[in-house]
Amino acid sequence: MSGPAHPEAPGSLDPLCFPLHGSRLIEASAGTGKTFTLALLYVRLVLGHGGMNAHPRALTPPEILVLSFTEAATQELRDRIRLRLVEAAQVFRVDSEMGAQSDADNPLHLLRAH
């Protein structure tokens, strides 16, 4: 699970534009990028990112509920979310200290650009 499905794929989800208000269910087969996508959506919720698609305010981690079906999947998701939050802090800190850095392959740099 290295990244989300191709943007033009039927039923694909763009984690940078996905609406973050209300309740959302993400259902997909193994290997489709669910963990990658959920971790990026989580970062967006914490940052209050998304304009019209954002949650009305930035949320703190205790306010966000993410569910998975197995203990192993839950641990992987927990680890990936923590890693993504650390990466986001580094990207935003470096970008603000050194001017915007552009890395088209890193979704956090794309998130920073929005």
Side-chain angles (χ1 to χ4, degrees):
M1 284 190 229
S2 61
H6 192 274
E8 286 90 34
S12 68
L13 183 151
D14 181 352
L16 295 176
C17 300
F18 188 72
L20 298 177
H21 43 80
S23 296
R24 302 292 174 185
L25 172 67
I26 297 174
E27 183 178 7
S29 301
T32 58
K34 288 182 302 297
T35 302
F36 173 90
T37 298
L38 287 170
L40 192 53
L41 293 174
Y42 193 99
V43 169
R44 285 186 54 212
L45 285 167
V46 169
L47 293 175
H49 175 273
M52 295 299 292
N53 286 328
H55 191 271
R57 64 177 177 79
L59 298 176
T60 61
E63 297 175 297
I64 302 169
L65 176 64
V66 180
L67 298 173
S68 188
F69 289 103
T70 67
E71 288 183 30
T74 299
Q75 185 61 47
E76 180 186 355
L77 185 56
R78 182 183 299 123
D79 292 346
R80 192 80 62 88
I81 287 171
R82 286 178 179 154
L83 177 64
R84 189 61 78 183
L85 287 169
V86 169
E87 289 173 348
Q90 292 170 345
V91 165
F92 281 67
R93 187 176 315 118
V94 168
D95 285 357
S96 65
E97 291 173 357
M98 303 178 79
Q101 304 281 324
S102 178
D103 181 354
D105 294 331
N106 186 330
L108 293 173
H109 286 276
L110 295 173
L111 184 63
R112 175 78 164 107
H114 282 94

